[in-house]
Amino acid sequence: MRLTSILSRNARQPQNEKKVPFKEILPLKLRSSVSGKNQRTEEKGCLLEMSLLLTCLKENEFEDNRCIPELTALNQCYQVYTSNIERMHSLKNQIIPVPNSKNLTYKQITHLLRKYPTV
């Protein structure tokens, strides 16, 4: 019992919350815009299909006739990838957000913040 009182004497006491006043450095409201600085889409398109095609070509001494299924899979993946990229670019350029969409761009968030400002 005596040992714990000796050890706790040197310990730092928790700070009382009532003695620390809150100093507002910046106003506590949202800004009316959002920067798009950190919004990146990093998608590695068709990397697996490309590696499968290259291994097939290496195993078959770079003959195209033996790796036709891998080549068609790579072409199909590339077509899907380019269509997805075009769709994402068209959605990125829209300023008015689509209802019930989960991922919003910085332009759409800025539009909503300016439409419904904080008081």
Side-chain angles (χ1 to χ4, degrees), residues 62-105:
F62 297 98
E63 291 185 22
D64 292 342
N65 298 336
R66 296 182 182 175
C67 298
I68 291 175
E70 288 83 1
L71 186 61
T72 56
L74 178 65
N75 288 334
Q76 184 180 12
C77 176
Y78 182 70
Q79 289 174 355
V80 169
Y81 176 73
T82 54
S83 65
N84 286 342
I85 291 295
E86 289 174 2
R87 185 176 50 85
M88 291 301 291
H89 282 295
S90 67
L91 289 176
K92 188 183 283 188
N93 292 334
Q94 285 182 345
I95 296 175
I96 299 173
V98 178
N100 298 329
S101 63
K102 293 182 181 179
N103 298 327
L104 298 175
T105 62

Side-chain angles (χ1 to χ4, degrees), residues 4-5 18 21 32 39-40 42 56 65 76 83-84 94 99-100 109:
T4 58
S5 64
K18 296 177 183 175
S32 62
Q39 189 170 13
R40 291 183 231 142
E42 295 184 20
C56 178
N65 298 336
Q76 184 180 12
S83 65
N84 286 342
Q94 285 182 345
N100 298 329
I109 294 172

Side-chain angles (χ1 to χ4, degrees), residues 18-30:
K18 296 177 183 175
K19 290 184 179 179
V20 181
F22 176 72
K23 295 179 183 177
E24 182 180 335
I25 298 172
L26 295 173
L28 297 176
K29 65 175 188 176
L30 294 175

Side-chain angles (χ1 to χ4, degrees), residues 7 85 107:
L7 291 177
I85 291 295
K107 291 179 184 179

